[in-house]
Amino acid sequence: LLPHTMKLLSFLLVLVAVVAADKIPDFVVPGQCPAVGESKLWSEQVPNHANYAGVWYQFALTNNPYQLIDKCVRNEYSFDGKQFEITSTGVTTDGSLLKRNGKAYPSPLGDPHLTIDYENSWAAPYVILDTDYTNFACIYSCHSYNFDYYSDFAFIFTRSPSLADKFVKRCEAAFKSIDVDTSRFTKTVQGSSCNYDVQKTL
């Protein structure tokens, strides 16, 4: 296939569900992904990837149709020296417990970021905008399509079910620095209503 034909096909594949709905999904918007200083972040983070391993709770996220777990989201990252194995558990919108398995690995195309790849989902860029490894992490994922459209998703992770305000502000500053509107975030239900011990057994 000609390169432009392949690009068109990839765009159409992402919008498979659009044909029936006869509209572009609300998470695909006009414009382009923001410029992020990925090379600098990557050079600082690669030597610390082992420190990124461990448990991360989802504190907040932007609208994301690919996040099937709604509440009590607990992500366990294990690092083998090259990539992360991820086990995510929590409660769906209908109240069911759910476990999802994924991986995060260096971009196959050589881009200076990780690629996040969950079962039954799209592989996507995974950029750690800011983290201190022990309290919080601010994650950004953006994908550009042809015809000047893009989709982006953002997360705030924490090492415990709650997060001190000073760390929330660190993530807000990181997202604002690349013009991500922080009012898009919805806080994830965590804490006393969650049964993390049961989730660990899934």
Side-chain angles (χ1 to χ4, degrees), residues 72-95:
C72 310
V73 184
R74 182 182 184 274
N75 306 300
E76 191 158 345
Y77 284 65
S78 59
F79 186 60
D80 66 5
K82 294 181 180 179
Q83 67 176 12
F84 295 92
E85 295 283 343
I86 311 168
T87 302
S88 295
T89 59
V91 180
T92 64
T93 52
D94 68 3

Side-chain angles (χ1 to χ4, degrees), residues 13-47:
L13 278 172
V14 171
L15 304 179
V16 188
V18 180
V19 179
D22 196 30
K23 66 175 184 177
I24 294 176
D26 57 5
F27 61 88
V28 178
V29 295
Q32 297 180 334
C33 290
V36 178
E38 291 185 18
S39 294
K40 182 175 184 295
L41 292 170
W42 185 244
S43 63
E44 293 169 353
Q45 292 165 4
V46 168

Side-chain angles (χ1 to χ4, degrees), residues 68-73 89-98 193-195 199:
L68 305 180
I69 307 173
D70 183 53
K71 302 173 183 175
C72 310
V73 184
T89 59
V91 180
T92 64
T93 52
D94 68 3
S96 304
L97 284 169
L98 179 65
S193 64
C194 301
N195 195 333
Q199 289 178 216

Side-chain angles (χ1 to χ4, degrees), residues 125-146:
Y126 184 103
V127 178
I128 305 168
L129 286 181
D130 192 11
T131 184
D132 66 354
Y133 300 97
T134 56
N135 294 286
F136 74 96
C138 327
I139 313 303
Y140 186 64
S141 179
C142 191
H143 186 80
S144 293
Y145 311 109
N146 274 0

